[in-house]
Structure formats: C-alpha cells, structure tokens
C-alpha cells in the first residue's frame, strides 16, 4: 500500500507491472492490492484502460505520511519503496538537525514534472526580486550539503539555474512537454571538472590526519564533479580556493591546489576565497 501511495504521489502514476515486479507477486495478487488501495483511498487513483496504468487524481491525498527528509534521500538514490511510511527499523545513529525541510507536495510535483518531462508554473521568492511567478523546466533535485534545490531551465531568463525548494510556494504541472530545455542542454550540469584537494599547507601541522579523514591517496583527494555543483562542494568542505593558500583561520583544513580548473565556471562566488584570473587583473 505504501509503495502504491509513494508512486502515485511522486510519479503521478503506476503500472500494475511495477507492483508485480517490485514485490514478485502474481497478477491476481497485484490486482487485489490495487483493489484494496482503492477501498482505503477511493478518490486517490483512476485506471486508464488504454494506458493500462493507474493515475493520481486531482483529489489525491496521501494515504501514508511520507517523511520529507527520508523521501528526498530516497529520491536522490533512486529508491521508491515508500517503506518509511509504514515504519523503518531505527538504529542508534544521529545526524545534524536540518533547518531546511521542503514541502513534500512541492517536491512531489517537481518530481512528476521531471519524470514526465513537463514544465511547471511556480511561485518563487528570491532574495533579489521577492515573490513572483516563473515557468521552469526541472531536470534534477539536488542536495548541496546545506539545503535542497531544483536544477531547472528558467523560461524567464532563458538559462539553467538553481531554485531553493523551500522558496517555492506553489507548483502547477503544465500540459506541454519540454523540448530543448532538458538536462542535455545544461552545459554546466553536463560538464565535469577535476578537483585536486590536499591538506592545507599552512593551517595543518599533521597532514596525515586530514589524509585519513578524506581517504586521500599520496596526499591528494582526486574528485570529478559537475561544474554546476563545484561551488557548493567547495563551500561545504571549507576548501581554501585562493591561489596561494592564504585563508589562515582554523576551519580551512583543505586547499584546492589546481585552482585553474575553476576557470569558466559559474556560481563560484560561494567558493571560499576564489578569484578568477580575469577578476584578479581587472
């Protein structure tokens, strides 16, 4: 029941074969499960005989409570079991509290748009211009280490941008399919850049400890990241991106030794201390 509920909420539809394949049950057992779900939530789904698929209705209300944090992690790892809705086993492991929890229904509509390759109308509140309507074509939901955002083509500016999920207050799925605004056209998303991260040469007296922390080989952590994500990663890890390792406070335990790899990459204002060669000589 939780799996059916999860698929309807986040994909907008589910095939009977999805259920049969997921739980390795027979056709008759799968049919009984859908019948039971319809008894429990009669207004949540409708069957399209032509598509042979169950679709979410306009009056859909989740039968189960899907935890936003767990759901985002599952979506990020392509897990769609809905298991947290019926109770997970709890282990004595804690993580830092999250101050930023997106609305699960906003996430659901965005995921539906991504899965079906559709555009959405949203109300978005930005720091620079306040609240306003935008048309977006989303292609990925991303955890940048501090908060969740959606990577999307913004029809207002004609460019691919990041939109913080908690600043989206309303999402409406549009009927027209997206054409040239898909992820393959997002140059910064498709392009990978190589980062060489090392223990900070001026702030760390015992670099072996840092090498162990990050699993470095021969004193270097080699990373390949999307250009669109590089700034977030460097900020999250407090990597000193100055040319001569000049950030001297204690939180900077790492240094990017191949700073030149960041040239021609956007969204680096958040990379600690980074100044492009072009800006350096202005």
């Amino acid at each position: 029941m939780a799996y059916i509920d999860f698929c309807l909420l986040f994909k907008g539809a589910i095939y009977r074969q999805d259920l049969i394949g997921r739980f390795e049950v027979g056709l008759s057992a799968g049919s009984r499960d859908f019948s039971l779900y319809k008894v429990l939530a009669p207004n949540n789904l409708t069957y399209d005989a032509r598509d042979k698929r169950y679709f979410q209705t306009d009056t859909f209300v989740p039968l189960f409570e899907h935890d936003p944090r767990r759901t985002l992690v599952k979506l990020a790892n392509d897990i769609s079991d809905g298991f947290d809705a019926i109770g997970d086993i709890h282990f004595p492991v804690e993580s830092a509290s999250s101050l930023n929890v997106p609305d699960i229904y906003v996430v659901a509509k965005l995921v539906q748009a991504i899965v079906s390759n559709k555009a959405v109308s949203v109300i978005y509140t930005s720091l620079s211009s306040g609240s306003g309507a935008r048309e977006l074509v989303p292609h990925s939901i991303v955890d940048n280490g501090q908060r969740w955002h959606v990577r999307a083509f913004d029809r207002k500016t004609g460019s691919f941008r990041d939109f913080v999920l908690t600043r989206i207050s309303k999402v409406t799925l549009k009927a027209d399919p997206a054409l040239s605004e898909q992820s393959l056209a997002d140059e910064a998303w498709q392009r990978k850049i190589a980062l060489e991260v090392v223990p900070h040469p001026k702030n760390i007296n015992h670099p072996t400890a840092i090498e162990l922390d990050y699993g470095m080989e021969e004193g270097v952590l080699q990373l390949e990241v999307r250009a669109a994500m590089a700034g977030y990663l460097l900020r999250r890890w407090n990597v000193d991106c100055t040319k001569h390792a000049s950030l001297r406070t204690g939180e900077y335990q790492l240094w990017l030794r191949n700073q030149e790899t960041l040239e021609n990459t956007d969204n680096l204002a958040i990379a600690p201390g980074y100044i492009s060669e072009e800006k350096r000589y202005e």
Side-chain angles (χ1 to χ4, degrees), residues 31-194:
S31 297
R32 285 196 299 270
D33 287 336
F34 279 106
S35 296
L36 176 56
Y37 184 89
K38 197 166 183 66
V39 169
L40 296 171
N43 299 318
N44 273 9
L45 77 169
T46 182
Y47 184 68
D48 187 312
R50 186 176 60 181
D51 279 355
K52 297 182 179 180
R53 186 164 38 155
Y54 293 89
F55 285 90
Q56 178 197 110
T57 64
D58 293 337
T59 56
F60 177 87
V61 177
L63 187 59
F64 296 89
E65 183 177 346
H66 301 274
D67 181 83
R69 294 188 187 91
R70 291 183 180 183
T71 297
L72 284 165
V73 171
K74 288 184 176 188
L75 291 170
N77 292 279
D78 197 25
I79 301 170
S80 57
D81 54 15
F83 190 58
D84 64 286
I86 54 176
D88 276 340
I89 298 172
H90 293 284
F91 295 95
V93 178
E94 292 290 334
S95 61
S97 296
S98 173
L99 301 178
N100 180 281
V101 183
D103 185 321
I104 198 70
Y105 297 106
V106 167
V107 175
K109 285 293 184 185
L110 291 171
V111 172
Q112 286 181 41
I114 293 169
V115 170
S116 59
N117 192 32
K118 298 287 181 65
V120 291
S121 294
V122 306
I123 300 299
Y124 188 74
T125 302
S126 71
L127 290 173
S128 58
S129 57
S131 295
R134 289 177 183 261
E135 246 183 55
L136 308 178
V137 182
H139 68 67
S140 301
I141 291 178
V142 180
D143 175 13
N144 69 17
Q146 291 185 312
R147 57 193 181 188
W148 292 88
H149 69 257
V150 60
R151 182 76 176 174
F153 183 83
D154 177 20
R155 287 178 172 173
K156 179 180 178 181
T157 61
S159 61
F160 287 95
R161 296 191 172 195
D162 300 335
F163 296 88
V164 181
L165 290 184
T166 49
R167 296 179 187 171
I168 299 175
S169 56
K170 185 179 179 181
V171 183
T172 304
L173 202 64
K174 296 183 70 66
D176 59 308
L179 298 174
S180 61
E181 305 150 318
Q182 301 171 14
S183 62
L184 289 176
D186 188 348
E187 188 275 337
W189 184 261
Q190 297 297 332
R191 180 166 58 91
K192 300 290 186 70
I193 58 177

Side-chain angles (χ1 to χ4, degrees), residues 7 16 22 26 40-41 52 68 76 82 87 109 137-138 143 151 156 159 166 192 203 217 238 242 264 267 279 282:
C7 289
R16 188 177 303 168
R22 173 68 178 81
L40 296 171
K52 297 182 179 180
K109 285 293 184 185
V137 182
D143 175 13
R151 182 76 176 174
K156 179 180 178 181
S159 61
T166 49
K192 300 290 186 70
N203 294 344
E217 295 183 6
N238 286 328
T242 60
N264 303 313
N267 198 27
K279 291 285 186 182
E282 281 185 353

